[in-house]
Amino acid sequence: MLRYMASLILLTAVWVANPASSAVPADFLYRNTGPGDTGMPYRIFLPPGYDPGQNYPLIVFLHGAGEAGTNNTSQLNNNANGALKLVSDANLAIQPTFMAAPQCPTNSSCWGQAQSLQRLNAMLDQIAAEFSIDADRVHVTGLSMGGHGTWSLVQNRPDRFASAVPMSGYGGGSATAMSGIPFWYFHAANDGTVGVAGSRNQVNALRAANARVIYTEYATGGHGIWSNSYGNALLFPWIMAQWRGNPSLTTPPVVRIEQPTQEPVWITDLAQTPLSGVFDNDGASIASVAWSRRNGPNGTANGTTLWNTPSIDLELGINDLIITGTGSSYYANYGGATTINANLRANRVTSIPEPGDTVIAINSAGPDYNAIDGTAFVADSAFEGGSTQVSSHVIANTADDTLYNSWRWGNFAYRIPVANGRYEIDLHFAETYNSAAGQRRFNVTLQGVPILQEFDIAAEAGLDTALVRHYVIDVDGGEILIQFSNGSVGSARVDAVHVVLSDDVLFASGFDPD
């Protein structure tokens, strides 16, 4: 204990004596992803006292367009435009970490190009082979071109990262695959180099996919907000608290929903529910807490640090309930604010299902529909991405033509909240658009596992013919995730999704069929 106290006193003395000291470019080793410097150059920072016997986090920093080249030095100019504050003495005392700073050869959307993404992944593999890196604590951040690169790299390999921090970035795209990764965005509303719309679009796309996102938008500051953003006292502890597949729900800044459940999904037969919870902003100012039901009502919650909403009406089927807290931008000179969201997917059913009952039946791209067998299909819901189309064909192998004349297509997913347990899933298909086999091939995964690859509806069933594929799965994460992606030709398609509570296993949690 005396040794521990002496170390603590010494550590405190170091913090007081040199509170802002950071690593410098000379502290980084030179590396290259290819033999004979034929690949992507990068620099790597080793935490002081590195011990190969223990694993360390890794922060990947992606520079902006002005630092492009092949000299393996420019990416750390101006102390990486402030990013080296992440490896300050004070931060390293909290958590020793590696930092990698690759260099892109060109300054035109370089990080999003296929070769760059391939080399970035090769760099990560190379670093993991040489040093003791915790694969569950790999984080990425970047500014300007590197802000877009942060999005591109996570989109390319969402399975690799624990958190992402883009600054002054641009672009956008589908966010479904990245919805489980915590993001903290920074941008200034008056950025005259890269307009703020790119960050707003990406934040909106992530929030539409029910991702947790922190978004700091300064009122002023222009393009070069990076040094002050990287100096945010909450940023490094927040990054270090995130683990791949297990984001922190306690490290500020954070908004939490605690009632009616702390889980991200909830099944209920109630027609309405209030929400309540916490907004932990580490003592910084909080302006408001708002609530909404996607495509439904919205309002302002009562309270801030501790908040609650009025009772919110729930529709039958999936209800996306969103809490958004607004607080300080953490840098008074720039003004602005930070928004932080938390989400609850509530699946309202007419009654809590018994084994063999329908949990939800979804008419993809269509309205409510009662099937001939009595199954009540709800209007399309719980989807992320994709487009819709309808037809008016006579469909063989079914008495429910209506069900097969509307469909969702493209790259999309269904996320269906359920209690943990065993479920039976029917996917309904028909080919009412193409005129022959071989014109549509696509892929489907269930809980991340491929179940259909290069699937051709017409080749399997013929044209204008109903086809149902049946699957049984065990759910332990409170959600059924069905992802559809385009294959070698044409677009993915589904006409309906039907989920039934299986009758051959008891639930580990949630409702318990007696």
Side-chain angles (χ1 to χ4, degrees):
M1 176 62 76
L2 290 175
R3 181 186 304 170
Y4 169 78
M5 290 301 296
S7 299
L8 184 60
I9 292 169
L10 178 60
L11 183 59
T12 303
V14 170
W15 288 350
V16 172
N18 197 7
S21 179
S22 302
V24 296
D27 296 325
F28 285 67
L29 304 178
Y30 287 77
R31 292 291 187 271
N32 194 290
T33 60
D37 292 342
T38 58
M40 175 180 284
Y42 66 95
R43 304 279 291 279
I44 181 75
F45 172 80
L46 278 62
Y50 166 61
D51 176 4
Q54 60 179 290
N55 291 331
Y56 295 80
L58 169 66
I59 299 173
V60 177
F61 167 70
L62 303 181
H63 64 74
E67 291 72 48
T70 57
N71 58 17
N72 208 0
T73 60
S74 297
Q75 72 268 39
L76 297 179
N77 282 354
N78 193 29
N79 287 324
N81 282 310
L84 296 195
K85 290 183 177 181
L86 293 175
V87 284
S88 67
D89 291 345
N91 284 340
L92 292 172
I94 296 171
Q95 173 61 66
T97 184
F98 282 77
M99 186 173 192
Q103 186 179 30
C104 224
T106 62
N107 61 2
S108 179
S109 302
C110 176
W111 294 123
Q113 296 172 7
Q115 184 183 59
S116 295
L117 292 169
Q118 182 181 20
R119 287 177 167 178
L120 286 170
N121 281 293
M123 178 194 74
L124 292 172
D125 293 338
Q126 188 171 305
I127 292 171
E130 184 177 1
F131 303 106
S132 298
I133 302 298
D134 189 337
D136 289 326
R137 303 183 72 186
V138 178
H139 313 271
V140 59
T141 183
L143 53 90
S144 192
M145 182 179 78
H148 175 67
T150 299
W151 174 271
S152 298
L153 181 56
V154 174
Q155 192 173 41
N156 176 253
R157 286 293 304 274
D159 58 304
R160 296 199 84 147
F161 298 99
S163 75
V165 183
M167 297 189 183
S168 305
Y170 55 92
S174 175
T176 298
M178 297 176 284
S179 61
I181 299 171
F183 278 77
W184 190 339
Y185 270 81
F186 292 83
H187 214 134
N190 70 336
D191 189 333
T193 303
V194 176
V196 74
S199 287
R200 289 175 179 171
N201 290 341
Q202 289 174 341
V203 168
N204 289 339
L206 284 162
R207 288 176 170 166
N210 289 301
R212 287 178 169 269
V213 185
I214 304 172
Y215 178 42
T216 297
E217 184 177 296
Y218 303 115
T220 63
H223 190 51
I225 59 171
W226 319 307
S227 184
N228 291 312
S229 298
Y230 282 122
N232 185 322
L234 297 184
L235 180 59
F236 181 82
W238 179 87
I239 292 173
M240 290 296 113
Q242 313 306 322
W243 293 67
R244 181 175 58 172
N246 189 25
S248 173
L249 301 182
T250 59
T251 304
V254 65
V255 171
R256 292 193 303 273
I257 298 172
E258 298 191 336
Q259 294 294 335
T261 177
Q262 296 183 32
E263 299 299 320
V265 297
W266 182 50
I267 294 179
T268 182
D269 57 358
L270 298 175
Q272 56 180 212
T273 184
L275 305 179
S276 64
V278 174
F279 183 175
D280 184 353
N281 206 24
D282 198 47
S285 63
I286 299 174
S288 64
V289 176
W291 63 269
S292 65
R293 191 191 79 208
R294 185 166 289 130
N295 301 319
N298 61 81
T300 301
N302 301 310
T304 52
T305 304
L306 298 176
W307 54 265
N308 61 80
T309 74
S311 290
I312 303 170
D313 291 335
L314 302 177
E315 297 181 323
L316 285 173
I318 307 301
N319 296 262
D320 287 321
L321 307 179
I322 305 115
I323 296 294
T324 304
T326 301
S328 168
S329 72
Y330 313 108
Y331 192 70
N333 290 347
Y334 289 167
T338 298
T339 57
I340 307 164
N341 70 285
N343 298 57
L344 173 63
R345 305 208 83 186
N347 183 3
R348 182 190 163 198
V349 294
T350 54
S351 61
I352 299 299
E354 297 290 333
D357 288 351
T358 293
V359 174
I360 191 169
I362 301 170
N363 183 15
S364 300
D368 292 344
Y369 173 73
N370 291 319
I372 296 299
D373 67 0
T375 301
F377 286 81
V378 298
D380 202 5
S381 60
F383 60 84
E384 296 171 358
S387 302
T388 62
Q389 199 153 348
V390 298
S391 57
S392 56
H393 293 205
V394 175
I395 309 299
N397 199 32
T398 182
D400 293 301
D401 290 23
T402 300
L403 201 62
Y404 297 91
N405 275 297
S406 65
W407 65 95
R408 183 161 293 278
W409 62 272
N411 294 307
F412 60 96
Y414 282 90
R415 290 182 179 271
I416 302 170
V418 293
N420 293 340
R422 177 163 293 180
Y423 294 86
E424 300 184 27
I425 299 172
D426 287 336
L427 301 180
H428 295 251
F429 305 98
E431 183 55 78
T432 62
Y433 181 82
N434 291 312
S435 58
Q439 296 177 348
R440 183 196 306 274
R441 295 192 182 98
F442 61 96
N443 308 308
V444 184
T445 65
L446 180 56
Q447 306 299 77
V449 177
I451 55 173
L452 294 172
Q453 294 181 288
E454 290 295 297
F455 181 55
D456 186 331
I457 302 169
E460 294 283 335
L463 301 175
D464 296 340
T465 303
L467 173 65
V468 179
R469 287 296 181 92
H470 183 79
Y471 304 92
V472 178
I473 62 166
D474 291 319
V475 175
D476 60 8
E479 177 182 78
I480 295 172
L481 174 60
I482 313 169
Q483 294 171 290
F484 298 80
S485 60
N486 300 334
S488 59
V489 62
S491 302
R493 165 178 177 158
V494 72
D495 294 71
V497 178
H498 186 190
V499 178
V500 172
L501 172 59
S502 183
D503 59 5
D504 64 352
V505 66
L506 292 180
F507 275 31
S509 63
F511 43 81
D512 182 5
D514 294 322

